[in-house]
């Protein structure tokens, strides 16, 4: 058996996570080989065809990668947009971060937000202020409680939880307030809203995940002669006494490396790992307990004379949120989505009808015949269930097998399974590989 070349890495998966880890390592001088297969998708809205998401200012890794990859001025089409809530009475309540120093930022932002009643704003302010001044601490059992239970304990009214907190939870974490872990929700709220005003700034990225991230990464790798192998059959990951020994391809080709990285969805990973490892290591056994949530997305188009991109959260409505973009075609494109609710049980025609009805109700004066359907998308693995206890199931990037690492949006990053999580995971994985080599 021939020894693997020094500083060599074999990455299984050439989706966003795989390309990102290869991009990081190749810049550090590693010899990288990526294996790609048509059945391997990252999921969690990070596949190439997915539209580039709305990025928060606190998504630092996403912004760093964008700056490194933007060679063709794609960012010129990006737009800053407000975070808006459509209240049950039809009013639009925008949230705007006040650009003030320190704690004054969140204080002023909270008190100027009219989506919450004065009583709910004051109760929330008093609760956060006491924690800020260390007169009170967060409960130690937040990971064992739902976000809805925690908000109820802080005095938030049922109206506030339904109109503001639930749509916010759906947008930030793709989980309903009644199912989401309180610890996850508190962490997200503090990260987005309680630090710098710029952390809550929303940027609508133009283009797709493939256009903005994957294609530039692949181009950079190919220019540096990284090897990308397209497979027609799934490979076999072979294990020896000291770790992964090789990857066996369908034609009996054997690929060996210093480090092996699985950059796939957790479902694909479980297909590669032998049963004996699932029973021997809690690390792999816990992955089998992860639960994914499905999403339906309906894309519509409508002629308009006043297009503008926006994000509109929809409390108490069939769809959880609406995003709109305005390509240079004299039309506005609407994208309505819902995760894990009863809409997933409807057929395509029923979904289109529901979406058209929603747009006409949201924007008065819109004629139904002007709203045309573009596509209906069903994503089985759009989000992770982040219920109490779920955070402990997400694995770290270093597996118990010393030369095997795992990366992807679903791993333990402190973020929901989204674009930022995928890129943070890849960065941490690259740091681990580099740390092993030093």
């Amino acid at each position: 058996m021939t020894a693997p070349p020094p500083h060599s890495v074999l990455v299984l998966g050439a989706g966003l996570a795989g390309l990102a880890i290869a991009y990081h390592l190749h810049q550090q001088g590693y010899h990288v080989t990526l294996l790609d297969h048509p059945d391997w998708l990252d999921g969690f809205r990070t596949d190439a065809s997915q539209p580039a998401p709305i990025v928060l200012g606190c998504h630092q890794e996403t912004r760093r990668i964008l700056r490194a990859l933007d060679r063709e001025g794609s960012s010129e089409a990006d737009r800053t947009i407000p975070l808006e809530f459509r209240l049950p009475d039809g009013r639009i309540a925008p949230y705007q971060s006040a650009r003030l120093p320190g704690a004054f930022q969140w204080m002023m932002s909270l008190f100027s937000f009219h989506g919450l009643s004065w009583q709910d704003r004051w109760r929330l302010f008093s609760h956060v202020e006491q924690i800020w001044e260390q007169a009170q601490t967060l409960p130690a059992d937040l990971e064992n409680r739902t976000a809805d239970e925690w908000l109820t304990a802080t005095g938030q009214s049922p109206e506030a939880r339904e109109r503001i907190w639930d749509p916010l939870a759906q947008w930030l974490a793709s989980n309903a307030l009644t199912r989401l872990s309180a610890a996850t929700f508190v962490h997200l709220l503090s990260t987005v809203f309680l630090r710098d005003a710029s952390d809550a700034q929303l940027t609508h990225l133009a283009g797709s995940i493939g256009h903005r991230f994957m294609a530039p990464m692949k181009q950079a790798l190919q220019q540096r002669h990284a090897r990308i192998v397209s497979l027609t059959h799934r490979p076999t990951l072979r294990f020896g006494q000291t770790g992964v020994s090789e990857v066996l391809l369908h034609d009996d080709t054997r690929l060996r490396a210093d480090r092996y990285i699985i950059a796939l969805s957790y479902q694909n990973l479980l297909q590669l790992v032998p049963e004996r490892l699932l029973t021997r290591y809690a690390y792999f056994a816990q992955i089998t307990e992860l639960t994914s949530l499905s999403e339906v997305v309906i894309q519509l188009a409508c002629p308009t004379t006043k297009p503008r991109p926006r994000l509109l959260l929809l409390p108490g409505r069939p769809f959880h949120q609406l995003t709109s973009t305005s390509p240079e075609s004299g039309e506005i494109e609407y994208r309505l989505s819902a995760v894990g609710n009863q809409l997933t049980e409807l057929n395509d025609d029923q979904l289109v009808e529901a979406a058209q009805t929603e747009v006409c109700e949201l924007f008065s004066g819109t004629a139904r015949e002007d709203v045309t359907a573009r596509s209906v998308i069903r994503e089985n693995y759009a989000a992770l269930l982040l219920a109490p206890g779920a955070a402990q199931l997400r694995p770290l990037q270093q597996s118990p097998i010393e030369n095997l690492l795992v990366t992807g949006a679903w791993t333990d990053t402190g973020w929901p399974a989204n674009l930022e999580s995928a890129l943070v995971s890849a960065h941490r994985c690259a740091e681990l590989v580099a740390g092993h080599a030093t």
Side-chain angles (χ1 to χ4, degrees), residues 140-145 181-184 386-392:
D141 65 342
L142 281 180
E143 183 53 37
N144 300 320
R145 301 164 65 184
S181 153
T184 298
L386 299 175
Q392 301 172 10

Side-chain angles (χ1 to χ4, degrees), residues 5-262:
H7 298 306
S8 60
V9 177
L10 182 60
V11 181
L12 288 86
L16 176 67
L19 288 169
I21 181 67
Y23 178 78
H24 288 309
L25 291 176
H26 214 278
Q27 287 185 317
Q28 299 178 50
Y30 284 82
H31 299 280
V32 181
T33 298
L34 290 100
L35 302 184
D36 195 14
H37 189 279
D39 290 344
W40 287 347
L41 297 174
D42 285 6
F44 306 108
R45 306 189 190 100
T46 60
D47 297 317
S49 60
Q50 290 281 344
I54 293 171
V55 173
L56 281 159
C58 55
H59 289 162
Q60 296 180 7
E61 185 63 17
T62 298
R63 292 180 176 274
R64 188 179 72 83
I65 291 292
L66 278 172
R67 288 192 297 269
L69 297 177
D70 188 21
R71 305 296 185 210
E72 300 177 0
S74 299
S75 60
E76 295 178 2
D78 297 342
R79 295 289 182 268
T80 300
I81 61 174
L83 172 62
E84 299 176 301
F85 298 78
R86 186 188 188 276
L87 304 182
D89 61 6
R91 290 183 296 126
I92 302 296
Y95 177 86
Q96 295 177 324
S97 291
R99 296 192 174 277
L100 295 171
F104 290 110
Q105 180 271 131
W106 67 263
M107 293 179 189
M108 185 59 67
S109 300
L110 174 63
F111 281 119
S112 61
F113 177 57
H114 297 292
L116 292 170
S117 70
W118 176 254
Q119 292 86 349
D120 285 309
R121 278 179 275 175
W122 179 253
R123 292 188 192 106
L124 181 63
F125 170 78
S126 300
H127 184 74
V128 175
E129 185 185 34
Q130 289 180 39
I131 294 173
W132 196 281
E133 295 177 351
Q134 299 182 342
Q136 182 177 332
T137 59
L138 285 168
D141 65 342
L142 281 180
E143 183 53 37
N144 300 320
R145 301 164 65 184
T146 67
D148 191 62
E149 291 169 341
W150 171 72
L151 285 167
T152 301
T154 64
Q156 291 297 289
S157 68
E159 293 78 15
R161 302 200 305 275
E162 177 185 355
R163 297 176 182 180
I164 301 301
W165 300 116
D166 186 59
L168 193 60
Q170 290 282 6
W171 174 57
L172 288 175
S174 298
N175 278 239
L177 201 66
T178 54
R179 301 179 73 181
L180 179 63
S181 153
T184 298
F185 193 49
V186 169
H187 171 70
L188 288 171
L189 290 179
S190 60
T191 301
V192 176
F193 298 109
L194 295 185
R195 299 178 184 175
D196 294 334
S198 60
D199 288 338
Q201 178 178 300
L202 276 62
T203 302
H204 188 281
L205 301 182
S208 65
I209 295 286
H211 171 68
R212 297 300 298 274
F213 296 91
M214 295 173 65
M217 286 181 188
K218 186 175 291 187
Q219 182 181 13
L221 288 167
Q222 290 171 336
Q223 288 174 345
R224 299 187 179 105
H225 307 292
R227 187 183 178 197
I228 302 177
V229 181
S230 296
L231 306 176
T232 56
H233 296 78
R234 292 178 183 174
T236 301
L237 197 61
R238 288 190 165 179
F239 293 82
Q241 293 186 350
T242 59
V244 180
S245 59
E246 63 183 12
V247 172
L248 178 65
L249 304 187
H250 180 69
D251 62 0
D252 289 333
T253 299
R254 289 169 167 78
L255 302 177
R256 302 182 181 95
D258 280 343
R259 303 285 164 192
Y260 299 83
I261 300 174
I262 298 179

